[in-house]
Amino acid sequence: MSIELNQPALRHARALIRDGKVVRDERDDWSEAAPTADEENAFIERDGWTEFSHWHLGVDRGEDRETKQAYSFPFGDFRRVHRSGVISGESRAGQYGHDEIRDALKSLLDLIDDEH
């Protein structure tokens, strides 16, 4: 498993934050805000795998790009970036040694907090 930073997703997240499409919630809110498997499936059916990938900062190039296993570190609900998702992902990335992803999530958190 070699999870890399998904650059198109990072650009997408930055654009959403700049456009004000952010939920300024707290870390513990992510468990409620994260999309369910059914919501993910509906999004994929409607918008496709490329758009789905744009909501995940981690991508495993060793996995089939048309499976959910290829994507990790979600940060939003397919409409807005959730501060809670960014915080949760940053913590998880740090725990598992994904430093580039951790640093990207930290930069997103700073961007969200600077937009206040």
Side-chain angles (χ1 to χ4, degrees):
M1 176 163 61
S2 64
I3 297 174
E4 301 172 10
L5 178 61
N6 185 354
Q7 291 288 346
L10 181 58
R11 288 190 295 274
H12 178 66
R14 286 181 178 147
L16 289 166
I17 293 166
R18 282 193 301 272
D19 289 346
K21 295 178 179 173
V22 177
V23 177
R24 289 181 170 80
D25 50 4
E26 297 302 319
R27 177 189 182 132
D28 294 340
D29 296 332
W30 184 238
S31 59
E32 292 294 319
T36 65
D38 287 343
E39 289 168 335
E40 289 177 338
N41 293 339
F43 183 84
I44 293 164
E45 187 70 28
R46 184 179 65 247
D47 296 295
W49 286 103
T50 299
E51 290 302 315
F52 182 77
S53 76
H54 290 168
W55 288 92
H56 297 81
L57 281 188
V59 60
D60 185 340
R61 307 252 182 241
E63 293 287 340
D64 181 342
R65 300 293 288 262
E66 292 193 0
T67 64
K68 291 181 188 179
Q69 291 83 356
Y71 306 104
S72 55
F73 301 102
F75 56 81
D77 62 8
F78 304 125
R79 293 184 322 272
R80 298 164 299 175
V81 174
H82 280 255
R83 186 175 184 274
S84 61
V86 172
I87 293 169
S88 177
E90 180 189 2
S91 175
R92 248 182 48 245
Q95 284 177 319
Y96 292 99
H98 301 297
D99 297 342
E100 189 178 23
I101 294 169
R102 179 203 62 210
D103 294 347
L105 285 159
K106 172 71 171 115
S107 75
L108 292 177
L109 182 60
D110 290 344
L111 189 58
I112 290 168
D113 291 345
D114 289 346
E115 296 285 320
H116 241 115

